[in-house]
PDB file of all heavy atoms in Angstrom:
ATOM      1  N   LEU E  15      93.171 126.091 123.600  1.00  0.00           N
ATOM      2  CA  LEU E  15      92.635 126.175 124.966  1.00  0.00           C
ATOM      3  C   LEU E  15      91.120 126.074 125.011  1.00  0.00           C
ATOM      4  O   LEU E  15      90.554 125.586 125.978  1.00  0.00           O
ATOM      5  CB  LEU E  15      93.091 127.449 125.654  1.00  0.00           C
ATOM      6  CG  LEU E  15      94.590 127.539 125.974  1.00  0.00           C
ATOM      7  CD1 LEU E  15      94.898 128.877 126.600  1.00  0.00           C
ATOM      8  CD2 LEU E  15      95.008 126.424 126.887  1.00  0.00           C
ATOM      9  N   TYR E  16      90.444 126.578 123.983  1.00  0.00           N
ATOM     10  CA  TYR E  16      89.006 126.491 123.911  1.00  0.00           C
ATOM     11  C   TYR E  16      88.510 125.039 123.840  1.00  0.00           C
ATOM     12  O   TYR E  16      87.400 124.760 124.224  1.00  0.00           O
ATOM     13  CB  TYR E  16      88.449 127.288 122.748  1.00  0.00           C
ATOM     14  CG  TYR E  16      88.674 128.769 122.860  1.00  0.00           C
ATOM     15  CD1 TYR E  16      89.281 129.477 121.859  1.00  0.00           C
ATOM     16  CD2 TYR E  16      88.291 129.453 124.016  1.00  0.00           C
ATOM     17  CE1 TYR E  16      89.529 130.850 121.958  1.00  0.00           C
ATOM     18  CE2 TYR E  16      88.521 130.833 124.125  1.00  0.00           C
ATOM     19  CZ  TYR E  16      89.111 131.504 123.100  1.00  0.00           C
ATOM     20  OH  TYR E  16      89.360 132.847 123.213  1.00  0.00           O
ATOM     21  N   LEU E  17      89.370 124.153 123.372  1.00  0.00           N
ATOM     22  CA  LEU E  17      89.045 122.727 123.308  1.00  0.00           C
ATOM     23  C   LEU E  17      89.597 121.988 124.541  1.00  0.00           C
ATOM     24  O   LEU E  17      88.923 121.154 125.118  1.00  0.00           O
ATOM     25  CB  LEU E  17      89.599 122.103 122.018  1.00  0.00           C
ATOM     26  CG  LEU E  17      89.451 120.589 121.920  1.00  0.00           C
ATOM     27  CD1 LEU E  17      87.986 120.238 121.791  1.00  0.00           C
ATOM     28  CD2 LEU E  17      90.259 120.087 120.731  1.00  0.00           C
ATOM     29  N   LEU E  18      90.817 122.321 124.945  1.00  0.00           N
ATOM     30  CA  LEU E  18      91.494 121.547 125.976  1.00  0.00           C
ATOM     31  C   LEU E  18      90.914 121.763 127.376  1.00  0.00           C
ATOM     32  O   LEU E  18      90.844 120.835 128.185  1.00  0.00           O
ATOM     33  CB  LEU E  18      92.996 121.863 125.972  1.00  0.00           C
ATOM     34  CG  LEU E  18      93.753 121.355 124.765  1.00  0.00           C
ATOM     35  CD1 LEU E  18      95.191 121.790 124.840  1.00  0.00           C
ATOM     36  CD2 LEU E  18      93.651 119.866 124.626  1.00  0.00           C
ATOM     37  N   ILE E  19      90.511 122.974 127.691  1.00  0.00           N
ATOM     38  CA  ILE E  19      89.987 123.282 129.042  1.00  0.00           C
ATOM     39  C   ILE E  19      88.648 122.549 129.265  1.00  0.00           C
ATOM     40  O   ILE E  19      88.503 121.831 130.269  1.00  0.00           O
ATOM     41  CB  ILE E  19      89.899 124.769 129.275  1.00  0.00           C
ATOM     42  CG1 ILE E  19      91.293 125.352 129.400  1.00  0.00           C
ATOM     43  CG2 ILE E  19      89.075 125.082 130.543  1.00  0.00           C
ATOM     44  CD1 ILE E  19      91.346 126.846 129.532  1.00  0.00           C
ATOM     45  N   PRO E  20      87.658 122.640 128.387  1.00  0.00           N
ATOM     46  CA  PRO E  20      86.424 121.874 128.618  1.00  0.00           C
ATOM     47  C   PRO E  20      86.658 120.355 128.581  1.00  0.00           C
ATOM     48  O   PRO E  20      86.060 119.612 129.347  1.00  0.00           O
ATOM     49  CB  PRO E  20      85.506 122.297 127.477  1.00  0.00           C
ATOM     50  CG  PRO E  20      86.028 123.574 127.011  1.00  0.00           C
ATOM     51  CD  PRO E  20      87.504 123.550 127.232  1.00  0.00           C
ATOM     52  N   LEU E  21      87.565 119.911 127.735  1.00  0.00           N
ATOM     53  CA  LEU E  21      87.863 118.490 127.677  1.00  0.00           C
ATOM     54  C   LEU E  21      88.494 118.005 128.969  1.00  0.00           C
ATOM     55  O   LEU E  21      88.137 116.932 129.464  1.00  0.00           O
ATOM     56  CB  LEU E  21      88.813 118.222 126.481  1.00  0.00           C
ATOM     57  CG  LEU E  21      89.105 116.756 126.186  1.00  0.00           C
ATOM     58  CD1 LEU E  21      87.828 116.029 125.783  1.00  0.00           C
ATOM     59  CD2 LEU E  21      90.141 116.649 125.097  1.00  0.00           C
ATOM     60  N   SER E  22      89.390 118.788 129.563  1.00  0.00           N
ATOM     61  CA  SER E  22      89.997 118.385 130.835  1.00  0.00           C
ATOM     62  C   SER E  22      88.997 118.415 131.957  1.00  0.00           C
ATOM     63  O   SER E  22      89.033 117.580 132.867  1.00  0.00           O
ATOM     64  CB  SER E  22      91.204 119.271 131.146  1.00  0.00           C
ATOM     65  OG  SER E  22      90.768 120.604 131.352  1.00  0.00           O
ATOM     66  N   VAL E  23      88.054 119.329 131.939  1.00  0.00           N
ATOM     67  CA  VAL E  23      87.004 119.379 132.958  1.00  0.00           C
ATOM     68  C   VAL E  23      86.105 118.148 132.855  1.00  0.00           C
ATOM     69  O   VAL E  23      85.766 117.502 133.874  1.00  0.00           O
ATOM     70  CB  VAL E  23      86.166 120.697 132.851  1.00  0.00           C
ATOM     71  CG1 VAL E  23      84.938 120.629 133.720  1.00  0.00           C
ATOM     72  CG2 VAL E  23      87.038 121.885 133.181  1.00  0.00           C
ATOM     73  N   VAL E  24      85.784 117.742 131.645  1.00  0.00           N
ATOM     74  CA  VAL E  24      84.990 116.527 131.441  1.00  0.00           C
ATOM     75  C   VAL E  24      85.735 115.283 131.929  1.00  0.00           C
ATOM     76  O   VAL E  24      85.179 114.426 132.596  1.00  0.00           O
ATOM     77  CB  VAL E  24      84.580 116.401 129.962  1.00  0.00           C
ATOM     78  CG1 VAL E  24      84.008 115.021 129.673  1.00  0.00           C
ATOM     79  CG2 VAL E  24      83.613 117.478 129.567  1.00  0.00           C
ATOM     80  N   VAL E  25      87.041 115.216 131.662  1.00  0.00           N
ATOM     81  CA  VAL E  25      87.833 114.076 132.102  1.00  0.00           C
ATOM     82  C   VAL E  25      87.895 114.011 133.613  1.00  0.00           C
ATOM     83  O   VAL E  25      87.825 112.932 134.210  1.00  0.00           O
ATOM     84  CB  VAL E  25      89.258 114.125 131.478  1.00  0.00           C
ATOM     85  CG1 VAL E  25      90.193 113.110 132.135  1.00  0.00           C
ATOM     86  CG2 VAL E  25      89.180 113.878 129.984  1.00  0.00           C
ATOM     87  N   VAL E  26      88.012 115.153 134.297  1.00  0.00           N
ATOM     88  CA  VAL E  26      88.061 115.180 135.747  1.00  0.00           C
ATOM     89  C   VAL E  26      86.721 114.711 136.329  1.00  0.00           C
ATOM     90  O   VAL E  26      86.687 113.907 137.270  1.00  0.00           O
ATOM     91  CB  VAL E  26      88.404 116.601 136.260  1.00  0.00           C
ATOM     92  CG1 VAL E  26      88.103 116.735 137.743  1.00  0.00           C
ATOM     93  CG2 VAL E  26      89.841 116.888 135.981  1.00  0.00           C
ATOM     94  N   PHE E  27      85.620 115.141 135.745  1.00  0.00           N
ATOM     95  CA  PHE E  27      84.300 114.701 136.237  1.00  0.00           C
ATOM     96  C   PHE E  27      84.101 113.212 136.004  1.00  0.00           C
ATOM     97  O   PHE E  27      83.501 112.523 136.841  1.00  0.00           O
ATOM     98  CB  PHE E  27      83.170 115.510 135.594  1.00  0.00           C
ATOM     99  CG  PHE E  27      82.989 116.855 136.234  1.00  0.00           C
ATOM    100  CD1 PHE E  27      83.116 118.010 135.516  1.00  0.00           C
ATOM    101  CD2 PHE E  27      82.657 116.945 137.577  1.00  0.00           C
ATOM    102  CE1 PHE E  27      82.924 119.245 136.091  1.00  0.00           C
ATOM    103  CE2 PHE E  27      82.466 118.176 138.185  1.00  0.00           C
ATOM    104  CZ  PHE E  27      82.614 119.333 137.436  1.00  0.00           C
ATOM    105  N   ILE E  28      84.586 112.668 134.904  1.00  0.00           N
ATOM    106  CA  ILE E  28      84.492 111.215 134.635  1.00  0.00           C
ATOM    107  C   ILE E  28      85.337 110.471 135.665  1.00  0.00           C
ATOM    108  O   ILE E  28      84.879 109.448 136.190  1.00  0.00           O
ATOM    109  CB  ILE E  28      84.916 110.898 133.198  1.00  0.00           C
ATOM    110  CG1 ILE E  28      83.864 111.407 132.230  1.00  0.00           C
ATOM    111  CG2 ILE E  28      85.113 109.415 133.015  1.00  0.00           C
ATOM    112  CD1 ILE E  28      84.237 111.309 130.767  1.00  0.00           C
ATOM    113  N   ALA E  29      86.538 110.947 135.962  1.00  0.00           N
ATOM    114  CA  ALA E  29      87.412 110.272 136.950  1.00  0.00           C
ATOM    115  C   ALA E  29      86.733 110.310 138.326  1.00  0.00           C
ATOM    116  O   ALA E  29      86.783 109.305 139.053  1.00  0.00           O
ATOM    117  CB  ALA E  29      88.757 110.942 136.977  1.00  0.00           C
ATOM    118  N   LEU E  30      86.151 111.432 138.695  1.00  0.00           N
ATOM    119  CA  LEU E  30      85.454 111.520 139.985  1.00  0.00           C
ATOM    120  C   LEU E  30      84.251 110.565 140.033  1.00  0.00           C
ATOM    121  O   LEU E  30      83.980 109.933 141.064  1.00  0.00           O
ATOM    122  CB  LEU E  30      85.032 112.952 140.266  1.00  0.00           C
ATOM    123  CG  LEU E  30      86.142 113.924 140.662  1.00  0.00           C
ATOM    124  CD1 LEU E  30      85.590 115.333 140.715  1.00  0.00           C
ATOM    125  CD2 LEU E  30      86.729 113.528 141.989  1.00  0.00           C
ATOM    126  N   TRP E  31      83.522 110.484 138.951  1.00  0.00           N
ATOM    127  CA  TRP E  31      82.349 109.580 138.899  1.00  0.00           C
ATOM    128  C   TRP E  31      82.800 108.118 139.067  1.00  0.00           C
ATOM    129  O   TRP E  31      82.169 107.369 139.807  1.00  0.00           O
ATOM    130  CB  TRP E  31      81.611 109.776 137.590  1.00  0.00           C
ATOM    131  CG  TRP E  31      80.462 108.845 137.426  1.00  0.00           C
ATOM    132  CD1 TRP E  31      79.239 108.926 138.037  1.00  0.00           C
ATOM    133  CD2 TRP E  31      80.427 107.666 136.656  1.00  0.00           C
ATOM    134  NE1 TRP E  31      78.462 107.885 137.677  1.00  0.00           N
ATOM    135  CE2 TRP E  31      79.167 107.073 136.816  1.00  0.00           C
ATOM    136  CE3 TRP E  31      81.348 107.034 135.829  1.00  0.00           C
ATOM    137  CZ2 TRP E  31      78.801 105.893 136.197  1.00  0.00           C
ATOM    138  CZ3 TRP E  31      81.003 105.860 135.191  1.00  0.00           C
ATOM    139  CH2 TRP E  31      79.727 105.306 135.377  1.00  0.00           C
ATOM    140  N   VAL E  32      83.879 107.758 138.383  1.00  0.00           N
ATOM    141  CA  VAL E  32      84.390 106.377 138.493  1.00  0.00           C
ATOM    142  C   VAL E  32      84.848 106.111 139.939  1.00  0.00           C
ATOM    143  O   VAL E  32      84.564 105.024 140.499  1.00  0.00           O
ATOM    144  CB  VAL E  32      85.550 106.132 137.514  1.00  0.00           C
ATOM    145  CG1 VAL E  32      86.298 104.835 137.811  1.00  0.00           C
ATOM    146  CG2 VAL E  32      85.037 106.125 136.078  1.00  0.00           C
ATOM    147  N   TYR E  33      85.539 107.029 140.554  1.00  0.00           N
ATOM    148  CA  TYR E  33      85.996 106.852 141.917  1.00  0.00           C
ATOM    149  C   TYR E  33      84.834 106.703 142.889  1.00  0.00           C
ATOM    150  O   TYR E  33      84.816 105.785 143.718  1.00  0.00           O
ATOM    151  CB  TYR E  33      86.881 108.033 142.351  1.00  0.00           C
ATOM    152  CG  TYR E  33      87.217 107.987 143.817  1.00  0.00           C
ATOM    153  CD1 TYR E  33      88.153 107.106 144.320  1.00  0.00           C
ATOM    154  CD2 TYR E  33      86.579 108.805 144.737  1.00  0.00           C
ATOM    155  CE1 TYR E  33      88.453 107.028 145.657  1.00  0.00           C
ATOM    156  CE2 TYR E  33      86.870 108.748 146.073  1.00  0.00           C
ATOM    157  CZ  TYR E  33      87.817 107.852 146.537  1.00  0.00           C
ATOM    158  OH  TYR E  33      88.079 107.793 147.866  1.00  0.00           O
ATOM    159  N   PHE E  34      83.854 107.580 142.822  1.00  0.00           N
ATOM    160  CA  PHE E  34      82.743 107.513 143.759  1.00  0.00           C
ATOM    161  C   PHE E  34      81.842 106.304 143.486  1.00  0.00           C
ATOM    162  O   PHE E  34      81.257 105.747 144.411  1.00  0.00           O
ATOM    163  CB  PHE E  34      81.929 108.821 143.761  1.00  0.00           C
ATOM    164  CG  PHE E  34      82.617 109.920 144.492  1.00  0.00           C
ATOM    165  CD1 PHE E  34      83.081 111.052 143.809  1.00  0.00           C
ATOM    166  CD2 PHE E  34      82.866 109.835 145.851  1.00  0.00           C
ATOM    167  CE1 PHE E  34      83.720 112.072 144.475  1.00  0.00           C
ATOM    168  CE2 PHE E  34      83.489 110.855 146.543  1.00  0.00           C
ATOM    169  CZ  PHE E  34      83.935 111.972 145.866  1.00  0.00           C
ATOM    170  N   THR E  35      81.740 105.875 142.252  1.00  0.00           N
ATOM    171  CA  THR E  35      81.027 104.636 141.947  1.00  0.00           C
ATOM    172  C   THR E  35      81.704 103.443 142.556  1.00  0.00           C
ATOM    173  O   THR E  35      81.032 102.572 143.163  1.00  0.00           O
ATOM    174  CB  THR E  35      80.860 104.440 140.438  1.00  0.00           C
ATOM    175  OG1 THR E  35      80.205 105.601 139.890  1.00  0.00           O
ATOM    176  CG2 THR E  35      80.061 103.211 140.106  1.00  0.00           C
ATOM    177  N   ALA E  36      82.994 103.388 142.440  1.00  0.00           N
ATOM    178  CA  ALA E  36      83.747 102.276 143.067  1.00  0.00           C
ATOM    179  C   ALA E  36      83.670 102.338 144.567  1.00  0.00           C
ATOM    180  O   ALA E  36      83.575 101.303 145.245  1.00  0.00           O
ATOM    181  CB  ALA E  36      85.200 102.312 142.580  1.00  0.00           C
ATOM    182  N   SER E  37      83.709 103.517 145.118  1.00  0.00           N
ATOM    183  CA  SER E  37      83.606 103.662 146.566  1.00  0.00           C
ATOM    184  C   SER E  37      82.236 103.265 147.075  1.00  0.00           C
ATOM    185  O   SER E  37      82.135 102.614 148.136  1.00  0.00           O
ATOM    186  CB  SER E  37      83.901 105.128 146.960  1.00  0.00           C
ATOM    187  OG  SER E  37      83.815 105.295 148.339  1.00  0.00           O
ATOM    188  N   ASP E  38      81.191 103.603 146.373  1.00  0.00           N
ATOM    189  CA  ASP E  38      79.847 103.231 146.815  1.00  0.00           C
ATOM    190  C   ASP E  38      79.585 101.729 146.680  1.00  0.00           C
ATOM    191  O   ASP E  38      78.789 101.164 147.439  1.00  0.00           O
ATOM    192  CB  ASP E  38      78.801 103.995 145.987  1.00  0.00           C
ATOM    193  CG  ASP E  38      78.726 105.459 146.388  1.00  0.00           C
ATOM    194  OD1 ASP E  38      79.189 105.808 147.477  1.00  0.00           O
ATOM    195  OD2 ASP E  38      78.204 106.241 145.537  1.00  0.00           O
ATOM    196  N   SER E  39      80.267 101.068 145.755  1.00  0.00           N
ATOM    197  CA  SER E  39      80.030  99.663 145.555  1.00  0.00           C
ATOM    198  C   SER E  39      80.840  98.790 146.516  1.00  0.00           C
ATOM    199  O   SER E  39      80.744  97.587 146.484  1.00  0.00           O
ATOM    200  CB  SER E  39      80.340  99.250 144.117  1.00  0.00           C
ATOM    201  OG  SER E  39      81.728  99.313 143.892  1.00  0.00           O
ATOM    202  N   GLY E  40      81.682  99.412 147.347  1.00  0.00           N
ATOM    203  CA  GLY E  40      82.423  98.672 148.364  1.00  0.00           C
ATOM    204  C   GLY E  40      83.794  98.211 147.896  1.00  0.00           C
ATOM    205  O   GLY E  40      84.388  97.327 148.486  1.00  0.00           O
ATOM    206  N   GLN E  41      84.302  98.799 146.832  1.00  0.00           N
ATOM    207  CA  GLN E  41      85.595  98.401 146.304  1.00  0.00           C
ATOM    208  C   GLN E  41      86.753  98.623 147.283  1.00  0.00           C
ATOM    209  O   GLN E  41      87.697  97.877 147.338  1.00  0.00           O
ATOM    210  CB  GLN E  41      85.856  99.195 145.020  1.00  0.00           C
ATOM    211  CG  GLN E  41      87.153  98.847 144.310  1.00  0.00           C
ATOM    212  CD  GLN E  41      87.058  97.517 143.591  1.00  0.00           C
ATOM    213  OE1 GLN E  41      85.986  97.113 143.190  1.00  0.00           O
ATOM    214  NE2 GLN E  41      88.192  96.850 143.451  1.00  0.00           N
TER     215      GLN E  41
END
């Protein structure tokens, strides 16, 4: 859990960054 919880938080932030980048570019 000490590895999986921070890793999942990083994956969620990456997914949100990809979504908002696509949204800002007019996708």
Side-chain angles (χ1 to χ4, degrees):
L15 291 178
Y16 294 127
L17 174 67
L18 292 177
I19 290 175
L21 187 63
S22 64
V23 170
V24 169
V25 168
V26 166
F27 280 120
I28 290 172
L30 286 172
W31 177 77
V32 168
Y33 172 75
F34 284 114
T35 302
S37 179
D38 288 340
S39 69
Q41 183 75 28

